[in-house]
Amino acid sequence: MNDFDVQDIRDELAKQRAEVAQHQQLMLKMKRIAQNPTMEKEDYEMLDYLRVAASRTEKAKRMGLPPLVDIQDTCSENPDP
């Protein structure tokens, strides 16, 4: 193994950790929304995010690509407090 291989592995590990953290953040946000019985602004934002994620996943399936949905693309304007 050379230095480039090691760096590639480190980059991939960092990418995977970031994806797991984003997924956990999304799940916590969905749990918080599900526990609140009234529809609020955050609920509508989550619905919009899920619609975008579903359309990207469907497009990736049609193109034969792995489904990649970046939470930062759709939620960057409204970060969690």
Side-chain angles (χ1 to χ4, degrees):
M1 264 185 148
N2 61 26
D3 290 339
F4 294 115
D5 294 335
V6 173
Q7 187 60 42
D8 288 343
I9 292 170
R10 287 181 181 159
D11 292 343
E12 186 63 31
L13 182 62
K15 180 181 171 186
Q16 288 176 355
R17 285 183 179 169
E19 288 173 355
V20 169
Q22 288 176 348
H23 180 73
Q24 289 175 346
Q25 180 184 20
L26 177 63
M27 292 298 111
L28 287 173
K29 189 174 181 181
M30 290 177 73
K31 180 180 178 183
R32 195 172 55 240
I33 290 172
Q35 291 174 345
N36 189 358
T38 60
M39 288 291 281
E40 296 178 356
K41 180 182 178 199
E42 188 175 61
D43 297 333
Y44 293 110
E45 291 171 359
M46 179 59 69
L47 286 174
D48 290 339
Y49 169 76
L50 293 174
R51 282 188 193 113
V52 169
S55 67
R56 286 185 180 179
T57 301
E58 183 62 31
K59 182 178 179 181
K61 276 184 186 178
R62 286 188 311 230
M63 295 177 71
L65 300 172
L68 298 174
V69 177
D70 186 8
I71 191 169
Q72 298 302 321
D73 286 348
T74 55
C75 296
S76 61
E77 296 134 17
N78 302 314
D80 282 337

